[in-house]
Amino acid sequence: MSSPTTIAAVKGFRDVLPDEAGRWRDLEDAAARLFARYGCEEIRLPIVERTELFARSLGDTTDVVEKEMYSFLDRDETSLTLRPEATASVVRAYVESGLVQRDPAARLWYRGPMFRRERPQRGRYRQFYQIGAEVFGRDDPLADAELLVMLMRYLEHVGARDTRLELNSVGDARCRPAYRDRLREFGQRELAALCPDCHRRLERNPLRILDCKVEGCRAVVARAPVVLDSLCEPCRVHFDEVRALLDQERVPYVVNARLVRGLDYYCRTAFEVVGGGLGAQNAVGGGGRYDGLVAALGGPDVAGVGFALGLERLAMVAPGEPAAPAVAAVVLPLEPRAVRPALAFATRLRDQGMTVALEPAGRSLKALLRAADRRGARLAFILGEDELRAGRATVRDLARHADRPQALALDTPAPALAEQVQALLGSAP
Ligand code: AMP
């Protein structure tokens, strides 16, 4: 009989193995702690939403909605979608739960997987993870600045290297239409050099040509008029105040007048955190202001501003220190009769909060000690025939390759046992 073939993960979907998952947990824990200082509370959201939520919030001319969503018909023919981002879901939950009335100035943060059917490449996956935050009910520049201070403090706190905050204003419903027209006219003049996608974008949503990735289009776009030159007075004042507040807090940023966010609902403040050494996919995160989105999703006219960070890319710019081996000690039963006392011994230590590995019986002491070494343990407790008879485990110091003179009584009560082991660990090199 031929052996069954292995089954690979789906293209663009990947496993996060323990080494990486440990770092992710630290990054998430740090976000939870730091964001709380700014009044952000965590929200956990469903992964599946009605397709129309994204069609309506992202705008149906965006790449995400046009070609990257994982959508399917449920058995009752409702079109559902694996969320490509979470802002729309946060807004839906904020309105649907009544938070919008109870706590209109809610600040919410989230973490979790997002799904986009993009072309997979280094740093770009079809399932990826984000940490994000949204601040509602505030249209003042202070809200933008506070959010950006929080974001940059967080990046600093987790040790992100070589990142840069890029800032822009994309105007609002008052001044953007005129800019859109200028951009369309410019694009019409340069039509020959633009890709077919951009031809379509010029018709439907000219701003989208600004983040086209095609080389030829990028060269054209480099000469295009910038939205920053078309801001109306209130947008200009808002932008200047955000900058002044960031300057006051000494948050470094560069103004990038060509920065636009891919999604339609952004207005005024738009920003991106760019990481050095990330290659083509260099955005660690981004966000901006989206006044009007809550109303577009059926809620009252409440402002919002937020960001999302990609966890894969964040972990690349903030890899942290390699984790120390977690296992402090191993318990080694040398023979079957030692299995029960070995489990009881290990359980008592684990109950006291220690990380203990327990090896199976029946292997030679040499093999067991090798296994203990591989786990990075510092102490081994050996339970062989002699030890069982004496009621004491031999303590082997794995760094010095020598037995300690003190043996541990197998019936030591839990707290005292943990104390003795801690003392042994404390005196190990
Ligand atoms: P966006 O919602 O497109 O602004 O994405 C925010 C952040 O999520 C980006 O800056 C990336 O760090 C991350 N991100 C977006 N799409 C992907 C992807 N396909 N694979 C990995 N990370 C992504």
Side-chain angles (χ1 to χ4, degrees):
M1 203 178 80
S2 67
S3 54
T5 53
T6 57
I7 299 172
V10 178
K11 185 176 172 196
F13 291 72
R14 61 192 279 273
D15 305 301
V16 181
L17 297 179
D19 271 353
E20 198 180 356
R23 179 60 185 155
W24 283 26
R25 195 170 53 241
D26 291 345
L27 291 169
E28 291 178 349
D29 290 350
R33 278 195 308 273
L34 199 126
F35 294 178
R37 297 184 200 163
Y38 293 77
C40 286
E41 294 179 296
E42 184 171 8
I43 182 166
R44 303 244 176 176
L45 300 155
I47 283 168
V48 173
E49 298 275 4
R50 291 171 192 277
T51 301
E52 64 178 294
L53 177 70
F54 304 111
R56 219 198 293 169
S57 64
L58 305 183
D60 51 14
T61 62
T62 53
D63 281 356
V64 170
V65 171
E66 275 183 344
K67 48 190 184 202
E68 293 172 359
M69 293 205 304
Y70 281 99
S71 301
F72 57 96
L73 286 182
D74 200 357
R75 293 193 183 179
D76 64 1
E77 304 288 301
T78 319
S79 178
L80 302 180
T81 292
L82 301 184
R83 62 179 183 197
E85 57 103 52
T87 300
S89 303
V90 179
V91 172
R92 180 201 47 69
Y94 168 71
V95 173
E96 187 178 350
S97 66
L99 255 187
V100 66
Q101 276 91 28
R102 285 198 307 282
D103 184 13
R107 299 174 169 208
L108 302 168
W109 78 274
Y110 60 85
R111 54 176 136 184
M114 311 293 155
F115 303 84
R116 294 182 198 170
R117 204 172 190 293
E118 298 182 90
R119 197 169 56 80
Q121 61 188 82
R122 185 179 126 89
R124 203 207 267 159
Y125 307 98
R126 290 178 167 177
Q127 174 176 339
F128 58 96
Y129 290 74
Q130 288 184 337
I131 295 180
E134 317 288 350
V135 169
F136 291 108
R138 292 275 303 272
D139 61 5
D140 53 323
L142 174 59
D144 308 34
E146 222 189 328
L147 184 81
L148 285 168
V149 172
M150 176 175 98
L151 170 60
M152 298 315 282
R153 282 290 192 279
Y154 172 66
L155 291 174
E156 197 179 307
H157 180 79
V158 298
R161 293 185 297 237
D162 200 10
T163 53
R164 180 173 80 239
L165 173 62
E166 298 194 348
L167 190 65
N168 195 19
S169 173
V170 294
D172 66 4
R174 280 213 286 179
C175 51
R176 208 160 42 204
Y179 172 67
R180 193 175 290 142
D181 292 344
R182 280 179 66 199
L183 192 60
R184 184 177 283 126
E185 283 163 25
F186 167 83
Q188 302 292 7
R189 288 200 299 277
E190 305 282 341
L191 217 49
L194 293 173
C195 74
D197 271 347
C198 278
H199 289 188
R200 209 159 34 85
R201 290 176 181 136
L202 273 185
E203 290 306 317
R204 300 180 62 188
N205 185 356
L207 257 72
R208 304 290 334 264
I209 70 168
L210 297 177
D211 51 13
C212 183
K213 304 280 180 283
V214 176
E215 268 316 310
C217 299
R218 289 167 73 115
V220 172
V221 161
R223 290 182 281 109
V226 296
V227 60
L228 209 50
D229 294 334
S230 303
L231 296 187
C232 60
E233 188 55 20
C235 284
R236 161 75 53 199
V237 169
H238 186 100
F239 188 54
D240 289 346
E241 181 62 11
V242 173
R243 293 186 56 181
L245 291 168
L246 292 178
D247 291 340
Q248 178 195 296
E249 293 310 304
R250 295 196 159 68
V251 171
Y253 61 86
V254 291
V255 173
N256 175 356
R258 301 199 177 273
L259 174 73
V260 287
R261 302 280 304 153
L263 307 180
D264 278 356
Y265 52 72
Y266 283 98
C267 67
R268 294 196 169 166
T269 310
F271 56 85
E272 220 161 68
V273 174
V274 177
L278 285 186
Q281 302 299 317
N282 66 352
V284 178
R289 174 163 284 289
Y290 49 79
D291 304 350
L293 177 63
V294 180
L297 292 177
D301 188 10
V302 174
V305 56
F307 67 75
L309 288 167
L311 210 42
E312 290 81 0
R313 295 184 203 168
L314 178 60
M316 284 163 87
V317 296
E321 301 296 322
V327 173
V330 291
V331 180
L332 309 178
L334 296 188
E335 55 167 288
R337 273 197 315 129
V339 162
R340 290 179 184 189
L343 175 62
F345 195 76
T347 299
R348 258 178 297 152
L349 289 173
R350 288 167 174 164
D351 285 348
Q352 296 296 308
M354 298 188 58
T355 303
V356 175
L358 184 54
E359 295 293 335
R363 281 187 290 166
S364 71
L365 181 58
K366 206 167 142 203
L368 287 170
L369 287 174
R370 245 200 324 269
D373 250 353
R374 263 200 307 276
R375 291 181 185 276
R378 288 156 63 196
L379 294 176
F381 303 117
I382 300 165
L383 276 76
E385 205 174 317
D386 292 348
E387 284 83 2
L388 287 180
R389 206 174 309 117
R392 307 177 85 80
T394 298
V395 181
R396 169 72 56 97
D397 187 325
L398 292 168
R400 293 191 190 129
H401 299 287
D403 287 344
R404 294 292 189 91
Q406 319 90 313
L408 283 178
L410 290 175
D411 58 359
T412 314
L417 181 63
E419 262 169 46
Q420 289 176 33
V421 172
Q422 281 304 349
L424 286 166
L425 283 169
S427 60

